[in-house]
C-alpha cells in the first residue's frame, strides 16, 4: 500500500509562496555564476562534482557533460543573449563528435547526455543537425535493450552477466526514445521505452512506494531476480536521488503516453519522498536518514523532485487529493534551495547549488555541489518563472 501524505504543519501559509521577483533574483544570481564559469571552463566541461567548492575541468567523457550544455541553453532561453547560444552550439559539436566516435557511451545515460545538450538545441532553434545527432544517441541507447529480460541494460558490456540489470535512473534516459519516436514517427523507439518503463515500475518500486536503486534479471529466463543498491545506503533503504529520478521520470512518461495509471504510481513514490523530508525540506542523501543522523544532504535530489512535481502538477486534476499539498511543498522546497543551498559566493568554477552527494560509498563529491544539481536547480527556477518548454 502506498503511503498517505502525512506531513504535519504544511498548511497554506501564504508567505511561503515564492513571488516572480524572488525567482528572478535567484535566476540573476545563477546567471552571474554561469558567466564566470563560461570563462573558467572555456572549451572544457565541469567534472561531475566539485572538489572543495570548485569544479575541475574535464573533456567530454562523463555521463554528466550534457548538464553544463543544458545550463547554457536554459540561460539562452531566459536571456536570449547570443553569447550563451554560441558556446552551447560549440558544446553540441563536441557531442556530435562523441556519439560519432562512440566515446564513453557504453552505458544507458544517453538521455542525460543528449536530452539536455542536443534535443534542447533542436527544440529551441530547430537545427536539423541537432536532430540527427540526438537520433544517433537514441539509436545507441536502443542498442542496449535486452530482449530476453525486456529492459535497457544500464552499465557495462551487454554480454557481462554481472551487469544484467536496470537502474532507476534510466527513467530519465527513456524520454530520449519517446522524443525520437515523436520526431521520426518510428514506433521502434517507443516500443522499447514502453517495455523498459513497465519493467522498471514493476521491479524497483516497492509496495510502499520506496525504491530500489538497481534490479537484476536472470539472463536465461529473463525473469526479475533481486533489487540491490549501488549508490544508496543499503539494499533495503531508498537512495534519495534514485527516488527523485522516479519522482521526475514518471511524469515524463506521462508527458508522452498520457496514461492515468501513472498518477497513482507517482503519488506512491512522491509521498514516500515528501514524508521523509527533514525540517528544511531538502533530503539527506538516503531517505533512511533524517535530522539528527549527522549525514550530508543531497540538494540535487531536492531540485530533481521539484522539477518532477512541477511537471506532474500540470496534469493532475483539481480534484486530485494531494494536489494542493504538493503545490505548498513545492514552494517550500524551492525556497529552501534558494535560501539555504544556492551558492551566493561568486567564484570561477563554483557550483550554482552547494551541499550535494555524488557517491557516498566512494567518497566522491560528498557535501559538494554537482553539475546535475546545478542544472535541475536552474530548470526548477525556469519552471517557477514561466511555462517552461521541456527539453526532456
Ligand atoms: N545517475 C547517476 C547518479 O545519479 O549519480
Amino acid at each position: 500500500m502506498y503511503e498517505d501524505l502525512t506531513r504535519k504543519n504544511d498548511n497554506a501559509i501564504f508567505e511561503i509562496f515564492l513571488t516572480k521577483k524572488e525567482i528572478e533574483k535567484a535566476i540573476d544570481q545563477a546567471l552571474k555564476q554561469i558567466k564566470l564559469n563560461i570563462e573558467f571552463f572555456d572549451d572544457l566541461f565541469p567534472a561531475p562534482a566539485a572538489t572543495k567548492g570548485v569544479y575541475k575541468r574535464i573533456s567530454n567523457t562523463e555521463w554528466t557533460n550534457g548538464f553544463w550544455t543544458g545550463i547554457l541553453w536554459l540561460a539562452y532561453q531566459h536571456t536570449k543573449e547570443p553569447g550563451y547560444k554560441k558556446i552551447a552550439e560549440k558544446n553540441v559539436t563536441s557531442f556530435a563528435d562523441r556519439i560519432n566516435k562512440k566515446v564513453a557511451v557504453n552505458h544507458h545515460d544517453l538521455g542525460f547526455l543528449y536530452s539536455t545538450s542536443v534535443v534542447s538545441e533542436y527544440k529551441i532553434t530547430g537545427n536539423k543537425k541537432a536532430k540527427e545527432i540526438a537520433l544517433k544517441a537514441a539509436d545507441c541507447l536502443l542498442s542496449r535493450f535486452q530482449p530476453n529480460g525486456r529492459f535497457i541494460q544500464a552499465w557495462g558490456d551487454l554480454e557481462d552477466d554481472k551487469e544484467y540489470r536496470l537502474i532507476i535512473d534510466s527513467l530519465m534516459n527513456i524520454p530520449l526514445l519517446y522524443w525520437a519516436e515523436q520526431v521520426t514517427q518510428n514506433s521502434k523507439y517507443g516500443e522499447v521505452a514502453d517495455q523498459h518503463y513497465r519493467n522498471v515500475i514493476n521491479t524497483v518500486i516497492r509496495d510502499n512506494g520506496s525504491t530500489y536503486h538497481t534490479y537484476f534479471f536472470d539472463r536465461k529466463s529473463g525473469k526479475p531476480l533481486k533489487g540491490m543498491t549501488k549508490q544508496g545506503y543499503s539494499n533495503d533503504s531508498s537512495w534519495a536521488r534514485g527516488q527523485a529520478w522516479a519522482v521526475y521520470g514518471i511524469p515524463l512518461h506521462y508527458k508522452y503516453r498520457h496514461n492515468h495509471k501513472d498518477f497513482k504510481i507517482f503519488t506512491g513514490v512522491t509521498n514516500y519522498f515528501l514524508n521523509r523530508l527533514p525540517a528544511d525540506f531538502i533530503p539527506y542523501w538516503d531517505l533512511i536518514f533524517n535530522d539528527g543522523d549527522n549525514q550530508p544532504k543531497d540538494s540535487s535530489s531536492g531540485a530533481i523532485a521539484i522539477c518532477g512535481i512541477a511537471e506532474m502538477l500540470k496534469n493532475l486534476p483539481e480534484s486530485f487529493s494531494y494536489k494542493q499539498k504538493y503545490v505548498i511543498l513545492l514552494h517550500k522546497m524551492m525556497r529552501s534551495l534558494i535560501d539555504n543551498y544556492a551558492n551566493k559566493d561568486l567564484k570561477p568554477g563554483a557550483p550554482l547549488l552547494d551541499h550535494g552527494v555524488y557517491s557516498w560509498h566512494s567518497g566522491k563529491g560528498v557535501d559538494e555541489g554537482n553539475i546535475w544539481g546545478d542544472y535541475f536547480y536552474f530548470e526548477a527556477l525556469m519552471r517557477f518563472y514561466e511555462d517552461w518548454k521541456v527539453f526532456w
Side-chain angles (χ1 to χ4, degrees):
M1 261 273 277
Y2 292 149
E3 292 182 354
D4 189 14
L5 187 51
T6 54
R7 298 193 62 91
K8 300 268 184 293
N9 307 321
D10 290 335
N11 305 327
I13 306 160
F14 284 96
E15 302 86 78
I16 60 143
F17 286 110
L18 283 153
T19 62
K20 189 139 185 172
K21 226 175 168 164
E22 286 175 300
I23 296 294
E24 246 162 17
K25 199 171 151 216
I27 292 179
D28 286 348
Q29 177 72 17
L31 288 171
K32 281 187 195 143
Q33 183 61 56
I34 292 164
K35 282 210 165 111
L36 281 177
N37 288 357
I38 286 173
E39 269 189 44
F40 184 80
F41 297 130
D42 195 14
D43 278 351
L44 292 171
F45 293 82
T51 305
K52 296 199 175 97
V54 175
Y55 290 111
K56 293 208 162 86
R57 287 171 278 207
I58 61 164
S59 56
N60 193 350
T61 52
E62 275 283 0
W63 69 275
T64 50
N65 291 68
F67 294 119
W68 169 238
T69 313
I71 287 171
L72 297 171
W73 285 122
L74 289 172
Y76 175 65
Q77 257 185 335
H78 184 72
T79 63
K80 306 284 180 298
E81 284 176 28
Y84 293 115
K85 181 168 177 258
K86 209 167 135 207
I87 299 150
E89 282 170 342
K90 215 164 153 188
N91 277 203
V92 170
T93 310
S94 163
F95 280 100
D97 215 45
R98 182 162 174 180
I99 198 65
N100 286 334
K101 296 187 180 144
K102 295 264 172 8
V103 177
V105 291
N106 195 25
H107 55 71
H108 71 154
D109 285 328
L110 280 310
F112 281 125
L113 283 169
Y114 284 83
S115 297
T116 47
S117 63
V118 185
V119 174
S120 49
E121 166 165 13
Y122 177 64
K123 288 190 177 177
I124 292 171
T125 69
N127 182 350
K128 294 225 165 53
K129 261 199 198 142
K131 179 172 137 187
E132 295 316 314
I133 299 164
L135 285 175
K136 278 188 192 172
D139 286 332
C140 188
L141 181 56
L142 213 55
S143 74
R144 297 191 64 79
F145 184 64
Q146 294 283 17
N148 204 16
R150 287 172 293 109
F151 67 94
I152 295 168
Q153 187 178 312
W155 300 312
D157 289 337
L158 297 180
E159 293 72 36
D160 186 348
D161 286 345
K162 292 192 300 302
E163 293 293 356
Y164 208 64
R165 62 173 154 182
L166 55 77
I167 74 170
I168 197 165
D169 321 31
S170 63
L171 290 173
M172 298 298 291
N173 286 321
I174 56 173
L176 178 65
L177 298 180
Y178 287 124
W179 168 82
E181 179 184 55
Q182 210 170 57
V183 295
T184 60
Q185 296 293 303
N186 187 334
S187 61
K188 70 177 178 181
Y189 298 104
E191 279 162 18
V192 162
D194 282 343
Q195 291 183 63
H196 179 80
Y197 179 79
R198 262 195 300 280
N199 239 332
V200 175
I201 297 302
N202 291 338
T203 54
V204 299
I205 302 177
R206 304 187 189 104
D207 288 347
N208 63 355
S210 67
T211 55
Y212 292 109
H213 178 199
T214 84
Y215 216 93
F216 281 93
F217 288 73
D218 181 74
R219 185 187 284 280
K220 266 205 192 118
S221 66
K223 289 212 172 104
L225 283 179
K226 60 177 171 183
M228 287 188 86
T229 201
K230 181 142 182 192
Q231 280 164 268
Y233 177 71
S234 65
N235 289 338
D236 53 6
S237 70
S238 287
W239 175 45
R241 195 157 61 253
Q243 192 83 19
W245 292 137
V247 171
Y248 197 0
I250 294 163
L252 290 176
H253 178 260
Y254 183 85
K255 173 174 179 276
Y256 286 98
R257 287 298 187 246
H258 307 292
N259 183 348
H260 282 29
K261 282 189 185 154
D262 282 340
F263 290 165
K264 189 162 178 224
I265 309 159
F266 172 78
T267 296
V269 297
T270 302
N271 288 3
Y272 192 90
F273 183 88
L274 295 174
N275 281 337
R276 280 153 189 81
L277 293 182
D280 78 349
F281 299 96
I282 300 303
Y284 289 88
W285 70 276
D286 191 293
L287 299 179
I288 203 169
F289 300 120
N290 215 306
D291 290 336
D293 289 330
N294 198 23
Q295 289 287 329
K297 294 282 181 73
D298 179 31
S299 55
S300 75
S301 299
I304 296 159
I306 290 171
C307 294
I309 296 169
E311 179 63 29
M312 202 51 137
L313 278 170
K314 294 197 264 186
N315 307 303
L316 295 176
E318 284 312 317
S319 58
F320 192 80
S321 44
Y322 301 114
K323 189 161 184 170
Q324 204 47 39
K325 274 194 167 185
Y326 287 162
V327 173
I328 292 165
L329 283 162
L330 199 67
H331 279 259
K332 289 197 172 191
M333 291 170 75
M334 192 75 227
R335 185 181 289 287
S336 185
L337 280 186
I338 295 172
D339 289 350
N340 309 321
Y341 295 83
N343 174 18
K344 302 182 180 69
D345 186 16
L346 296 174
K347 187 164 61 170
L352 304 184
L353 204 60
D354 286 327
H355 308 301
V357 171
Y358 181 11
S359 172
W360 186 82
H361 293 288
S362 66
K364 272 201 281 186
V366 175
D367 197 22
E368 294 276 5
N370 51 57
I371 194 63
W372 60 90
D374 292 359
Y375 169 82
F376 287 105
Y377 172 62
F378 197 177
E379 184 189 304
L381 288 171
M382 290 291 279
R383 284 176 175 277
F384 270 77
Y385 186 77
E386 63 187 29
D387 184 13
W388 179 66
K389 192 174 170 59
V390 180
F391 293 166
W392 303 92

